[in-house]
Amino acid sequence: MAVSPKVAVGYLRAPTTTISDRVCRTVALLGRRGYAVTPSRLAELCLGGAISEGDVRWAVATNPELAIAEDLVVERPALDRAMAIRRRSLEHDTESVAYLDLTVAFVRTLVAVAPFVRSVSIAGSLASGGFRSSDDVDLNLIVDDGHRHLAYVVVNLLGLVHAMRHRGKPVDDLTRRPIAPRLMTANLILERSQCLPLQRQDEDMAFELFMSEPVFGLESMREVIDENPGLLEHFPQLADRGAPLVIGTPARRAPIGLFPRFLDPPARLLGGSAWRYMQWTRRNRPGALARVAYVRSTMRPYTLFDPN
């Protein structure tokens, strides 16, 4: 998916002054991630705070760069993709419920096994409303300091065991793996100290947090919002969003002493080798490689296994 040349990821711009500009930038933000939403949903998600559906329709009518197609607000260059995006939305409605249940069950196991995990949220297509049965489930984590790579390894090992029970799951170029499909995957892993404050408080990072669906550790998520007020300048909706999937802390968790910080460097070597192997398996699938590269670009400087 091509990145819009209008906006550089991670660029913190001046405050928006008009509703039309806010709507246009929100549509662009969604478009960079490959999806679009209805006018009513766009009103809820609007950069700078929720507006009315009437405001959205007025902004589209007066902005030559925007259009409504298949009941989705899109940039005009994306008109030919509106039908495909709508199909994804309809598939999400039928597929997401079962995968949400699977994910909550997986998170229960993850936080019981890994006591250094402070927060887990669903991200990606399952959170945004464009989930297909061939997609994987992206998870955002906040962990104790010195445990980022341990978290990556644990998520992937548990994810592999979990995926073995779902080997019949449909796959695509991103979720195809040699042994079992890619089902549960770590999208963004942050140590607590990296969040207080975040190095990035731009609209892309604010949107990532806004669109994620908390499953565990809601108090840690709220701490991030409280300590990063710049996020609320982009999406004040973050302050009072709901969390219907949140689970409590398991009654029994593995002892934290099983995961000393000195295990993180070996975990980095192991996780990095596994990640490079997965990239190697995609060497003949340029679309998959390009998608991975784009997602990683939206996460910098928080990506794991970057050369620098």
Side-chain angles (χ1 to χ4, degrees):
M1 177 176 59
V3 182
S4 170
K6 298 179 184 177
V7 182
V9 172
Y11 177 59
L12 184 63
R13 289 173 294 187
T16 307
T17 55
T18 69
I19 287 179
S20 180
D21 185 36
R22 288 165 57 194
V23 170
C24 192
R25 284 170 56 187
T26 308
V27 172
L29 199 58
L30 295 167
R32 293 198 297 276
R33 288 158 174 78
Y35 66 101
V37 296
T38 64
S40 60
R41 180 60 172 155
L42 184 60
E44 298 171 355
L45 301 180
C46 192
L47 185 70
I51 57 177
S52 71
E53 182 179 345
D55 285 335
V56 170
R57 292 186 179 276
W58 175 85
V60 174
T62 57
N63 192 323
E65 297 183 13
L66 302 178
I68 295 179
E70 301 291 331
D71 197 31
L72 303 173
V73 183
V74 296
E75 295 177 298
R76 288 198 175 273
L79 279 170
D80 59 342
R81 294 191 290 114
M83 185 174 293
I85 295 171
R86 168 56 78 188
R87 283 198 298 266
R88 286 196 66 147
S89 177
L90 294 174
E91 189 168 352
H92 175 92
D93 293 341
T94 59
E95 298 288 347
S96 62
V97 174
Y99 279 90
L100 284 171
D101 291 341
L102 282 176
T103 304
V104 171
F106 177 81
V107 172
R108 288 184 190 278
T109 301
L110 172 63
V111 298
V113 169
F116 51 83
V117 173
R118 289 176 172 262
S119 173
V120 185
S121 299
I122 299 171
S125 60
L126 188 56
S128 68
F131 186 80
R132 294 178 299 188
S133 57
S134 60
D135 287 352
D136 57 358
V137 176
D138 294 308
L139 300 175
N140 289 346
L141 281 70
I142 299 173
V143 302
D144 289 339
D145 290 357
H147 290 78
R148 286 186 82 202
H149 301 92
L150 276 169
Y152 179 84
V153 170
V154 170
V155 168
N156 279 278
L157 287 176
L158 289 178
L160 179 60
V161 172
H162 181 75
M164 293 292 287
R165 300 196 298 269
H166 301 278
R167 280 175 286 184
K169 174 190 178 298
V171 295
D172 57 21
D173 282 349
L174 277 174
T175 56
R176 185 178 292 108
R177 291 201 295 195
I179 299 175
R182 179 175 169 176
L183 182 48
M184 301 292 167
T185 186
N187 180 59
L188 176 66
I189 302 177
L190 294 170
E191 292 184 349
R192 182 173 180 269
S193 62
Q194 291 179 299
C195 303
L196 307 175
L198 286 163
Q199 184 176 337
R200 282 180 51 194
Q201 297 186 40
D202 55 87
E203 64 185 39
D204 281 276
M205 182 56 67
F207 187 74
E208 176 69 26
L209 297 177
F210 178 39
M211 292 304 294
S212 63
E213 184 67 49
V215 180
F216 173 74
L218 185 60
E219 63 282 355
S220 292
M221 288 295 298
R222 287 174 174 160
E223 182 182 36
V224 172
I225 303 306
D226 290 342
E227 295 296 324
N228 294 275
L231 299 172
L232 295 176
E233 294 178 12
H234 302 293
F235 290 99
Q237 303 97 314
L238 269 167
D240 54 8
R241 58 159 300 166
L245 298 180
V246 166
I247 62 173
T249 302
R252 304 177 71 175
R253 302 184 79 180
I256 189 65
L258 294 177
F259 302 95
R261 293 173 64 140
F262 68 75
L263 291 180
D264 205 58
R268 179 175 184 173
L269 293 175
L270 177 61
S273 297
W275 186 84
R276 286 187 290 273
Y277 169 72
M278 281 308 304
Q279 294 302 93
W280 180 81
T281 65
R282 298 171 177 144
R283 64 194 182 282
N284 297 319
R285 301 198 290 272
L289 290 174
R291 178 61 183 165
V292 171
Y294 170 70
V295 171
R296 287 171 67 79
S297 75
T298 68
M299 300 300 171
R300 289 192 174 93
Y302 306 118
T303 48
L304 296 170
F305 315 125
D306 275 341
N308 297 314

